[in-house]
């Protein structure tokens, strides 16, 4: 049974924390102003034409701040729409210009200053696919006109918008005296508002819960039978198309995801397929630890050039980057902080390194949530492996003074120092190299200091030379022992592969074939026969198996043994009469004839094939002339010559040749005698297909 993934259910219906909204019964737009101001809303929408900024000849009324509030516009009790109320704060901008002397009388000066101010305030609203512009005419009495001070606010009810939509609102005056105000807001959906019973588009909204079942993540959609809905999985706020998976479904449904597919920006949209339905958006994995682990597992640092780099990742998460120093022994990478400070980075955007000189030991660490998530040494591929260099940190202590320390795993060791570390023991030599310019400067800052890389190769102690000599002697001795062992292995005889091919000539013939193969296996031979490989033969097919075994045997300098029986001779004669090398055999095990016949027709059989037949079961003249181009032996009477041909006259083979031939002959003769006796004699198979054995007449 699936277990709960989070501590609370991720339902796309009523949420545990909801907001109760004010209801407006007025079906038309309205406007009102704060005390002392008068407002008038023009009928209908106007054109959204901000125009250019104009200069003022005196004080004017301008918007200074925008804020929004969500309300419900309800023509009926259960038929409401989400609406955005806009509140715009107004202030007096500019001053009265001082008139030229002796030009105007006192009464003429006081007349404009006692007049009220009037402004046409534009509210522009955009929420895909809706765009509107409303005009509010606001008038301020003269008593409230004080340059630079707020005079009150105007309230507009209201712009209708869809649940979950992103809205943008602009405010400016006509004519425009300053830059317009802009406000962007993401509206909640049915989960975050107490509107499920008031907005009809929320009635048919599917419910979704997320749970885990082992390594699988289950998206369980609780939808009524035969209700159609759309489900979209996508990566939020990524460059380009973030769609990952989309499908129209019929409820109820359970969608299974692998836990490795989770990333923090993986979001879900679900909606009914009815007209004008609401799309509800949820991103349940933003705080999930496994999603963050997957994100950093797939993130990668890419070096674009020697000065620029980029962090490639699926989501745009905040991160910090810092350079670190990786020592040659693969210890922890030491951050270069101070003097270099970490920088905030943006995912999937190129960044420039500070003025740092390339070095293979310089690496980049990416941190998030105060933890190093990613580390790569970007210059190691182009500059080679890590070097045994010591990094010296030069710090500015006063106007003309500096201090130097060596960066080690234990920290930055001051030079010179009396502590027992590698840098401290070589402190005077390192300082001498630093002062004489033998160290390479990697980074410098006039106020903070500099970083220097000093080679350590020349400081290897002479006592290590003796250690290297000892290692070389040991390696030479080991190499000598390996050569001796290799020579002994060469002297020892290697088992030669022998592929035994025969025709399906009854169960009695199979028993003789098995006896011959078992006897030859006691020799230094690796015997391959189809009777011992029935499973492989069935899996690959007879023709493919015989072709493969023949090719492998000849490639290993082995030998192919052709066992001739009456059935084999008859089949060969039939194929030769039809002059074809790819016949259709009566038995699948006869397919080997098509494998070997081309070698004989093209004269490639000598030294690679040997023919045999059993005493009393076949006359030697019965073997087709084509196959007499290779040695032909009658068994067991010609066993010594047969074994010598298989082992190619091996003189170092263990045991005496006569003893080996006698053992193989005895093993084969006992079975052959039993086979050629009358049917039912002791030792014979009682279910042979063609009598006891095919005997030559």
């Amino acid at each position: 049974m699936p277990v709960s993934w989070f501590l609370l259910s991720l339902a796309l219906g009523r949420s545990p924390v909801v907001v109760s909204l004010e209801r407006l019964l007025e079906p038309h737009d309205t406007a009102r102003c704060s005390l002392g101001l008068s407002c008038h809303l023009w009928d209908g929408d106007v054109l959204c034409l901000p125009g250019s900024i104009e200069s003022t000849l005196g004080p004017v009324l301008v918007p200074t701040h925008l804020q929004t509030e969500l309300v419900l516009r309800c023509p009926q009790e259960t038929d409401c729409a989400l609406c955005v109320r806009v509140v715009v704060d107004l202030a007096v901008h500019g001053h009265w210009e001082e008139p030229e002397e002796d030009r105007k009388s006192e009464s003429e000066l006081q007349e404009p200053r006692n007049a009220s101010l009037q402004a046409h305030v534009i509210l522009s609203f955009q929420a895909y696919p809706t765009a509107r512009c409303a005009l509010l005419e606001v008038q301020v009495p003269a008593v409230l006109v004080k340059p630079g001070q707020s005079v009150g606010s105007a309230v507009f009810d209201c712009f209708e918008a869809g649940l979950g939509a992103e809205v943008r609102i602009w405010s400016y005056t006509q004519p425009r005296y300053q830059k317009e105000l802009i406000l962007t807001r993401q509206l909640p959906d049915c989960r975050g508002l107490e509107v499920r019973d008031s907005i009809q588009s929320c009635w048919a909204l599917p419910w979704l819960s997320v749970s885990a079942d082992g390594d699988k993540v289950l998206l369980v959609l609780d939808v009524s039978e035969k209700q159609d809905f759309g489900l979209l999985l996508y990566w939020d706020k990524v460059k380009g198309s973030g769609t990952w998976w989309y499908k129209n479904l019929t409820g109820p449904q359970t969608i299974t995801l692998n836990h490795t597919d989770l990333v923090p920006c993986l979001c879900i949209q679900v909606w009914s397929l009815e007209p004008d339905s609401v799309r509800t958006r949820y991103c349940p994995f933003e705080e999930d630890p496994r999603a963050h682990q997957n994100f950093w597992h797939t993130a990668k640092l890419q070096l674009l050039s020697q000065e620029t780099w980029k962090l490639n990742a699926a989501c745009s998460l905040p991160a910090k980057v810092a350079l670190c120093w990786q020592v040659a022994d693969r210890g922890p990478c030491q951050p270069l902080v101070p003097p270099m400070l970490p920088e905030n980075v943006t995912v999937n955007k190129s960044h420039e390194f500070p003025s740092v000189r390339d070095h293979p030991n310089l690496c980049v660490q990416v941190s998030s949530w105060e933890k190093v998530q990613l580390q790569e040494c970007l210059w190691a591929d182009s500059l080679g492996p890590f070097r045994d260099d010591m990094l010296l940190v030069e710090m500015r202590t006063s106007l003309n003074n500096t201090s130097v320390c060596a960066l080690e795993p234990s920290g930055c060791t001051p030079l010179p120092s009396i502590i027992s570390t590698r840098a401290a023991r070589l402190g005077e030599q390192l300082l001498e190299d630093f002062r004489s310019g033998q160290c390479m400067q990697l980074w410098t800052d006039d106020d903070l200091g500099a970083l220097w890389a000093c080679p350590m190769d020349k400081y290897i102690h002479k006592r290590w030379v003796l250690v290297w000599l000892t290692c070389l002697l040991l390696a030479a001795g080991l190499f000598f022992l390996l050569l001796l062992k290799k020579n002994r292995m060469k002297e020892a005889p290697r088992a030669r592969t022998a592929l035994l091919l025969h025709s399906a000539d009854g169960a009695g013939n199979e028993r003789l074939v098995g006896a011959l193969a078992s006897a030859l296996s006691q020799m230094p031979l690796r015997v391959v026969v189809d009777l011992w490989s029935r499973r492989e033969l069935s899996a690959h097919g007879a023709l493919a198996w015989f072709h493969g075994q023949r090719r492998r045997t000849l490639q290993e300098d082995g030998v192919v043994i052709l066992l001739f029986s009456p059935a084999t001779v008859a089949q060969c004669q039939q194929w030769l009469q039809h002059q074809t090398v790819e016949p259709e055999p009566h038995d699948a095990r006869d397919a080997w004839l098509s494998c070997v016949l081309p070698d004989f027709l093209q004269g490639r059989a000598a030294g690679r094939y040997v023919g045999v037949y059993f005493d009393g079961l076949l006359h030697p003249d019965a073997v087709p002339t084509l196959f007499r181009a290779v040695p032909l032996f009658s068994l067991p009477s010609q066993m010594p010559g047969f074994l010598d041909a298989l082992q190619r006259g091996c003189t170092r083979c263990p045991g005496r040749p006569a003893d080996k031939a006698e053992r193989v002959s005895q093993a084969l003769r006992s079975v052959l005698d039993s086979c050629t006796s009358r049917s039912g004699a002791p030792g014979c198979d009682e279910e042979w297909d063609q009598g006891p054995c095919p005997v030559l007449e």
Side-chain angles (χ1 to χ4, degrees):
M1 292 292 292
V3 296
S4 177
W5 180 280
F6 300 109
L7 295 180
L8 53 88
S9 173
L10 304 178
L12 297 186
R14 183 184 297 272
S15 173
V17 179
V18 295
V19 178
S20 180
L21 302 182
E22 177 185 348
R23 292 171 176 260
L24 302 180
L25 301 180
E26 177 61 44
H28 305 291
D29 297 339
T30 60
R32 62 182 186 275
C33 286
S34 58
L35 185 63
L37 306 182
S38 61
C39 293
H40 171 68
L41 177 64
W42 283 32
D43 295 335
D45 291 346
V46 297
L47 292 178
C48 301
L49 299 174
S52 58
I53 298 178
E54 299 182 7
S55 59
T56 63
L57 299 178
V60 293
L61 198 61
V62 294
T64 57
H65 179 68
L66 276 178
Q67 58 183 355
T68 60
E69 179 183 349
L70 294 181
V71 295
L72 291 178
R73 174 172 283 170
C74 302
Q76 299 179 7
E77 182 66 23
T78 59
D79 184 15
C80 298
L82 190 63
C83 214
V84 180
R85 171 183 288 166
V86 182
V87 180
V88 53
D89 295 337
L90 303 170
V92 177
H93 174 72
H95 300 272
W96 295 111
E97 292 185 355
E98 293 296 332
E100 297 181 4
E101 296 181 359
D102 303 330
R103 291 237 181 141
K104 292 185 179 181
S105 63
E106 185 66 23
S107 60
E108 291 176 329
L109 292 175
Q110 292 297 328
E111 182 177 351
R113 300 192 181 192
N114 293 331
S116 61
L117 290 182
Q118 181 176 317
H120 288 172
V121 179
I122 301 294
L123 295 178
S124 176
F125 176 86
Q126 287 188 3
Y128 181 82
T130 303
R132 293 185 55 195
C133 275
L135 189 151
L136 280 70
E137 187 177 296
V138 182
Q139 189 168 357
V140 182
V143 67
L144 297 179
V145 177
K146 297 180 180 180
Q149 293 189 8
S150 174
V151 296
S153 60
V155 180
F156 172 78
D157 284 330
C158 55
F159 294 114
E160 293 188 12
L163 291 164
E166 182 181 79
V167 301
R168 302 190 70 183
I169 302 173
W170 291 264
S171 180
Y172 52 90
T173 59
Q174 283 187 341
R176 187 161 64 97
Y177 301 110
Q178 63 180 17
K179 186 177 180 180
E180 63 265 34
L181 301 179
I182 303 177
L183 177 65
T184 302
R185 179 172 179 180
Q186 182 72 44
L187 302 185
D189 51 32
C190 297
R191 295 176 300 111
L193 300 171
E194 197 177 63
V195 297
R196 186 171 179 84
D197 298 331
S198 303
I199 299 180
Q200 295 182 2
S201 58
C202 292
W203 294 356
L205 189 68
W207 286 65
L208 173 69
S209 61
V210 181
S211 60
D213 186 8
D215 289 339
K216 303 295 183 181
V217 180
L218 305 181
L219 306 180
V220 182
L221 290 107
D222 185 9
V223 185
S224 60
E225 294 286 345
K226 299 182 179 180
Q227 179 182 347
D228 298 329
F229 63 94
L231 180 66
L232 172 66
L233 302 179
Y234 65 99
W235 295 290
D236 189 32
K237 297 181 180 178
V238 297
K239 186 176 181 180
S241 176
T243 300
W244 179 42
W245 189 86
Y246 165 76
K247 199 168 186 180
N248 292 334
L249 302 170
T250 301
Q253 290 282 345
T254 299
I255 310 299
T256 303
L257 305 176
N258 196 308
H259 76 91
T260 57
D261 296 329
L262 304 184
V263 289
C265 61
L266 180 60
C267 298
I268 306 168
Q269 277 191 4
V270 62
W271 66 96
S272 172
L273 294 183
E274 297 178 358
D276 300 328
S277 60
V278 177
R279 289 197 178 201
T280 301
R281 169 185 176 273
Y282 201 79
C283 302
F285 309 111
E286 291 178 334
E287 305 296 332
D288 183 71
R290 287 199 287 186
H292 281 266
Q293 183 179 357
N294 294 336
F295 168 81
W296 290 112
H297 181 71
T298 57
K300 187 173 180 60
L301 286 168
Q302 179 184 3
L303 186 64
L304 302 178
S305 66
Q306 294 298 329
E307 293 82 19
T308 59
W309 60 279
K310 183 171 68 172
L311 176 60
N312 295 319
C315 308
S316 297
L317 295 185
K320 290 185 177 182
V321 65
L323 291 178
C324 63
W325 180 261
Q326 178 66 63
V327 294
D329 59 359
R330 291 284 184 178
C333 196
Q334 303 295 317
L336 303 182
V337 181
M340 302 183 68
L341 301 178
E343 298 181 1
N344 295 324
V345 296
T346 302
V347 176
N348 299 322
K349 182 180 179 182
S350 60
H351 298 269
E352 291 188 0
F353 287 106
S355 301
V356 178
R357 189 171 180 178
D358 304 341
H359 194 283
N361 294 36
L362 279 176
C363 303
V364 179
Q365 284 183 342
V366 181
S367 303
S368 179
W369 302 95
E370 306 299 330
K371 180 181 178 182
V372 176
Q373 304 288 356
L374 183 63
Q375 175 181 317
E376 288 194 27
C377 301
L378 300 178
W379 293 282
D381 293 339
S382 59
L383 300 181
F386 297 129
R387 300 175 188 170
D388 189 19
D389 292 356
M390 182 69 69
L391 186 71
L392 302 186
V393 181
E394 180 186 11
M395 301 289 292
R396 303 278 192 264
T397 56
S398 61
L399 184 60
N400 296 319
N401 294 330
T402 61
S403 64
V404 179
C405 64
L407 192 63
E408 296 185 286
S410 58
C412 206
T413 304
L415 298 181
S417 178
I418 59 173
I419 62 177
S420 181
T421 64
R422 184 189 186 194
R425 290 191 295 268
L426 301 172
E428 295 296 337
Q429 293 94 321
L430 288 173
L431 286 176
E432 181 62 26
D433 291 346
F434 168 69
R435 297 189 183 104
S436 61
Q438 299 184 38
C439 299
M440 180 176 67
Q441 188 181 70
L442 302 181
W443 173 82
T444 184
D445 185 273
D446 294 338
D447 298 326
L448 299 177
L451 299 176
W452 305 81
C454 300
M456 298 291 290
D457 298 339
K458 60 182 179 181
Y459 298 121
I460 298 178
H461 202 278
K462 293 182 180 180
R463 63 184 180 182
W464 290 107
V465 176
L466 182 60
V467 176
W468 282 110
L469 289 176
T470 305
C471 293
L472 290 176
L473 290 175
L474 291 176
L478 181 61
F479 180 70
F480 181 71
L481 292 176
L482 291 175
L483 286 179
L484 290 179
K485 185 176 180 181
K486 185 177 181 180
N487 290 334
R488 290 181 180 178
M489 292 177 63
K490 287 183 177 180
E491 294 177 359
R494 187 181 65 174
R496 192 183 187 192
T497 303
L499 174 61
L500 180 57
L501 302 178
H502 67 98
S503 293
D505 204 359
N509 189 68
E510 285 192 2
R511 188 177 179 198
L512 289 173
V513 173
L516 177 60
S518 299
L520 294 178
S521 297
Q522 305 304 318
M523 310 294 294
L525 293 170
R526 188 177 70 87
V527 180
V528 179
V529 64
D530 59 340
L531 300 179
W532 297 348
S533 305
R534 296 185 188 274
R535 182 174 297 176
E536 295 181 15
L537 197 70
S538 175
H540 299 90
L543 190 60
W545 187 86
F546 284 124
H547 269 294
Q549 294 298 331
R550 169 196 160 277
R551 182 175 61 255
R552 188 177 299 110
T553 300
L554 297 182
Q555 287 176 350
E556 297 175 358
D557 197 22
V559 61
V560 180
I561 304 172
L562 305 181
L563 178 56
F564 290 96
S565 65
T568 306
V569 172
Q571 192 67 27
C572 289
Q573 291 175 348
Q574 180 182 355
W575 288 1
L576 292 173
Q577 289 174 359
H578 289 81
Q579 298 181 353
T580 177
V581 298
E582 294 184 0
E584 293 293 336
H586 296 93
D587 191 284
R589 286 173 293 174
D590 292 334
W592 62 268
L593 291 173
S594 67
C595 302
V596 304
L597 196 56
D599 288 342
F600 284 89
L601 293 174
Q602 299 173 13
R604 300 196 306 262
R608 309 164 81 184
Y609 289 83
V610 174
V612 297
Y613 59 92
F614 292 120
D615 295 342
L617 299 184
L618 187 69
H619 196 280
D621 294 337
V623 177
T625 305
L626 180 66
F627 293 98
R628 297 182 195 175
V630 299
L632 186 64
F633 300 96
S634 180
L635 303 181
S637 60
Q638 297 179 349
M639 185 64 70
F642 172 59
L643 295 181
D644 185 65
L646 292 183
Q647 298 182 2
R648 295 176 296 187
C650 178
T651 58
R652 293 193 299 266
C653 297
R656 294 186 300 174
D659 294 341
K660 295 186 292 182
E662 183 62 27
R663 288 197 304 270
V664 176
S665 297
Q666 289 179 357
L668 187 60
R669 188 177 293 111
S670 61
V671 180
L672 185 61
D673 292 343
S674 175
C675 177
T676 56
S677 63
R678 58 185 175 86
S679 177
C684 292
D685 194 336
E686 298 178 356
E687 297 181 358
W688 289 355
D689 297 338
Q690 302 173 4
C693 273
V695 182
L696 176 65
E697 297 180 356

